[in-house]
Amino acid sequence: MSLMGQMMHMPLLISSLLTHAARHNGDVEIVSKRVEGDMHRTTWSEVELRSRKLAQALARLGLKAGERVGTLAWNGYRHLEIYYGVSGSELICHTVNPRLFPQQVAWIINDAEDKVLFVDLNILPLIEKLIPSLPTVKAVVVMVARSHMPAETAIPNLLCYEELIEAEDGHYTWPQFDENTAASICYTSGTTGNPKGAVYSNRSTVLHAYAAALPDAMSVSTVDTVLPVVPMFHVNAWGLPYSGALIGCKLVLPGHHLDGASLYDLFEKEKVTFSAGVPTIWLGLINHVKQNNLKFSTFKRTVVGGAACPPAMIRTLEDEFGVQVIHAWGMTEMSPLGTLGRLKSKHADLPVEAQHRLLEKQGKVIYGVDMRIVDAEGQVLPWDGKTSGDLEVRGHWVISSYFKVDKSPLHDGWFPTGDVATIDADGYMQVTDRSKDVIKSGGEWISSIDLENVAMGHPAVHEAAAIAAFHPKWDERPLLVVVKKPGAEVTREEILAFYDGKIPKWQLPDDVVFTDEIPHTATGKIYKLKLREQFKDHNLPTV
Ligand code: ADP
């Protein structure tokens, strides 16, 4: 008979992250740029106390274990308190992306059956419009003090956040319950079909928070000042509000001003050392810093993910600004972290160019996640860095099913990511494309990411997107859509010539079109679906 371990069993609860932060790093600051316009400073210990008061307030509002509490809010300390007050009291925090189409916001709130909504002041007009179509919502809490509450409203039960907190005494002990209890829900953006809810547990969230902080992952520690640009409604800001408590670092929460100038100001004033966000955010920041001849005095490392980080962006951040880029891949269904681009010790002596090539890939998995690539028949493919296949994952923080969807999304116990990738012998994964974005030319596949990465390296290109355009002979051929840098001039022929020697000739885009703006999704990624629609009648000169 096996001998059981004789160690304490303490459920991995989200509240334990916060109580740890308050007890051991209680005086460390949480700085927020508020919707009210000012800067606000608090500490982990204050956040913990107010989260307990919030938990009391939620109970007073009549919420019961397992019920969903929605948030429509930017990154700020009150949102942080809601994360912990809600999940810590056995309720489920449902972060809603306010940038989605209003009908989608309503659909998501109704699907989750949110009972209470916490809303930032400048998002309130959206909820005022939607409230008649949100039958489950019993109260809407505006995340401000009484002095900022709107004088009039169409919402029947409109409450004030600070009044809710002030009414409580904080005599509350975080309840202990099963670590597998749901903690939060995040919906996929649903660019095809309705959004689907990923339900994270307390356990999966705590394990993800541990792993994300590791030196070979995000590599954040208590000495860092962390500014998550990635919104708290986008896969829980990639877990940084949890990892931040686990390591007890200073957090800088930027509110809703994510333009280059506002971010730069915060980075400098608050001595930010670490950040994380999607590539488009860094485009804005890089432009601002370059145009104004600025430099970063404390900013050292950033995680870039959510979409492929163009190699040219990595080079600019590292070579011109001294900011190390950690390229990361993940998805809502994975909490989100899967892989990160870090070197192994055997790569230390590689020529710098070869190191760069490795770090441009999406990287190695962290412990807790496993991956494989398979072909159309489900046969497992080799890790040779060349063979590409459908990427599948499994792990402690990978979903096993979607909220309210009976049909299992799994294939043979693995979650199919919808990405197409290669994996090399050292376990470095490279995403060639999302399967729906791959350009299928004759029988061959062309990676839209490869085409975009080359174009982004051209000095006159601000942003580039490659999409499939209809071709009578090949079915699909690549069309490159380009936004020029302000003041820059470049021709179609110059862009095409720039591909010389960088990709096989047959993959060369059939045409280049210039546009003022490339559409982005609510999470800041290139909106390929919309772009394809926009250019569906484009006549390729090669036809
Ligand atoms: P959505 O974009 O639908 O909101 P997610 O935010 O979960 O959903 O996006 C996950 C997808 O984003 C991945 O499946 C992948 O296609 C893409 N992605 C994320 N990180 C990267 C990366 N570093 N390189 C390329 N693609 C990425």
Side-chain angles (χ1 to χ4, degrees), residues 517-536:
E517 205 183 347
I518 286 176
H520 290 102
T521 66
T523 50
K525 307 182 197 193
I526 292 175
Y527 200 169
K528 294 265 170 100
L529 202 71
K530 193 154 177 196
L531 210 53
R532 280 198 293 265
E533 237 167 64
Q534 200 176 324
F535 289 98
K536 71 177 187 316

Side-chain angles (χ1 to χ4, degrees), residues 119-138:
V119 185
D120 258 335
L121 190 56
N122 58 358
I123 305 173
L124 195 59
L126 170 69
I127 295 306
E128 280 185 317
K129 274 199 216 88
L130 294 179
I131 199 76
S133 57
L134 305 176
T136 63
V137 175
K138 304 280 175 274

Side-chain angles (χ1 to χ4, degrees), residues 189 234 306-308 327-332 362 417 419 431 434 523 525:
S189 62
H234 188 195
H327 192 193
W329 167 86
M331 59 198 309
T332 306
Q362 279 70 13
T417 64
D419 287 335
V431 176
R434 273 190 147 173
T523 50
K525 307 182 197 193

Side-chain angles (χ1 to χ4, degrees), residues 243-258:
S243 293
L246 181 141
I247 58 178
C249 67
K250 173 175 166 183
L251 285 182
V252 181
L253 304 172
H256 65 293
H257 291 294
L258 302 181

Side-chain angles (χ1 to χ4, degrees), residues 349-531:
D349 297 329
L350 278 183
V352 174
E353 278 298 308
Q355 290 183 344
H356 288 169
R357 293 293 89 76
L358 269 179
L359 292 172
E360 286 159 9
K361 295 188 176 198
Q362 279 70 13
K364 303 179 286 159
V365 289
I366 26 177
Y367 168 77
V369 179
D370 194 7
M371 65 181 174
R372 66 178 192 177
I373 44 175
V374 299
D375 66 15
E377 280 75 48
Q379 293 300 312
V380 177
L381 294 168
W383 290 19
D384 57 12
K386 291 192 214 69
T387 312
S388 68
D390 294 319
L391 182 64
E392 300 190 333
V393 292
R394 63 180 179 195
H396 299 301
W397 48 86
V398 177
I399 65 156
S400 58
S401 57
Y402 287 104
F403 185 55
K404 289 183 174 172
V405 178
D406 289 335
K407 190 168 175 285
S408 169
L410 305 189
H411 163 238
D412 189 22
W414 294 72
F415 177 76
T417 64
D419 287 335
V420 180
T422 61
I423 306 176
D424 74 12
D426 286 321
Y428 285 78
M429 185 274 285
Q430 181 161 29
V431 176
T432 22
D433 233 320
R434 273 190 147 173
S435 50
K436 52 183 186 282
D437 295 338
V438 174
I439 300 158
K440 298 189 177 105
S441 170
E444 301 290 340
W445 287 14
I446 302 174
S447 154
S448 66
I449 295 179
D450 281 353
L451 298 181
E452 287 156 10
N453 281 349
V454 173
M456 291 292 287
H458 192 287
V461 173
H462 171 70
E463 196 168 24
I467 52 169
F470 173 73
H471 191 287
K473 175 161 177 210
W474 303 108
D475 250 355
E476 294 179 359
R477 285 297 301 164
L479 168 67
L480 190 75
V481 184
V482 169
V483 179
K484 291 183 216 170
K485 279 196 184 141
E489 267 320 316
V490 63
T491 63
R492 170 185 182 277
E493 286 65 33
E494 282 164 347
I495 298 259
L496 291 176
F498 191 68
Y499 278 95
D500 254 3
K502 300 190 177 90
I503 52 158
K505 274 223 150 40
W506 65 270
Q507 297 190 354
L508 192 71
D510 282 29
D511 203 4
V512 179
V513 290
F514 296 97
T515 173
D516 291 338
E517 205 183 347
I518 286 176
H520 290 102
T521 66
T523 50
K525 307 182 197 193
I526 292 175
Y527 200 169
K528 294 265 170 100
L529 202 71
K530 193 154 177 196
L531 210 53

